[in-house]
Amino acid sequence: MQKLLRLMAAACTALLVLGLTGSPADAADPALESQFVAGVNAVRAQAGLPPLAVHSQLTSVARSWADQQASVNDMSHNPGLTAQVSGAWTLVGENVGAGPEVGGLMDAFVASPSHYANIVEPRFDYIGVGVTWGSDGRMYTTHVFMDLEASPAPPPTTPEPDPAPSTTAPAASTTTTTTAPPPPPPPPPTAPPPASAAPERVAVVLDMVGALGDGVQ
């Protein structure tokens, strides 16, 4: 009986430690990710900017890098970010941070000019957020921002001219035949306009947030 009680006490202690340190590494936390997205969009709204839409690929990239940071209990930027984001993007950015809770980290992001610049960059229209808890009890989060190249507008269509109204000549007492002059030669072909240069692809990678707690580094 005493052995059973000792085993139960050990199990309760393990659960308590897990509750204090958060989820194990390599486990995304969608609820906290949504809180970060809401926080970013609230900051953008205060700046008069439209909200960012959640992009599934950016979320996958952000979660993967949050897992990487949590696995070593240390922050760093993703060196393969530009290769992992596909599509016709023209600008990407990344904010990373570590701390005990969402509110403190959002305050740290906003207080840092470089991180705030990513949040309120008017060209960004998509975001992906990853959150993973490390064994050190801190949440590690990665925010990936992206601007997609706009689809080119279709060329304007020129309406066809209305056909000239047909007229019937009055009948004559004699029949005459008139040969129309030959049509003028077609104009030389117009050279196609030069192809527009592909938009420059720029990656923005900024400083890290929160070496210990919610500080800015």
Side-chain angles (χ1 to χ4, degrees), residues 167-178:
T167 59
T168 304
S173 56
T174 59
T175 303
T176 59
T177 303
T178 304

Side-chain angles (χ1 to χ4, degrees), residues 25-184:
D26 302 329
D29 195 324
L32 294 180
E33 292 168 357
S34 296
Q35 291 181 35
F36 273 118
V37 172
V40 166
N41 282 333
V43 174
R44 288 178 65 87
Q46 292 174 357
L49 296 169
L52 300 177
V54 175
H55 192 284
S56 59
Q57 185 190 55
L58 299 186
T59 300
S60 177
V61 172
R63 285 176 175 174
S64 177
W65 195 248
D67 288 347
Q68 165 62 27
Q69 295 176 94
S71 69
V72 295
N73 292 329
D74 195 15
M75 288 183 304
S76 61
H77 279 290
N78 182 357
L81 176 64
T82 58
Q84 295 169 11
V85 179
S86 62
W89 59 265
T90 59
L91 186 69
V92 293
E94 179 185 69
N95 286 345
V96 299
E101 47 92 22
V102 173
L105 274 174
M106 279 303 307
D107 290 343
F109 279 134
V110 172
S112 166
S114 56
H115 297 87
Y116 180 75
N118 262 353
I119 295 174
V120 297
E121 168 56 58
R123 289 171 291 178
F124 287 144
D125 40 24
Y126 292 100
I127 188 174
V129 174
V131 172
T132 306
W133 287 91
S135 60
D136 59 356
R138 294 191 298 170
M139 71 167 72
Y140 289 82
T141 185
T142 302
H143 301 182
V144 182
F145 305 86
M146 178 178 67
D147 170 52
L148 274 181
E149 177 187 358
S151 302
T157 57
T158 304
E160 293 289 337
D162 294 333
S166 60
T167 59
T168 304
S173 56
T174 59
T175 303
T176 59
T177 303
T178 304
T179 304

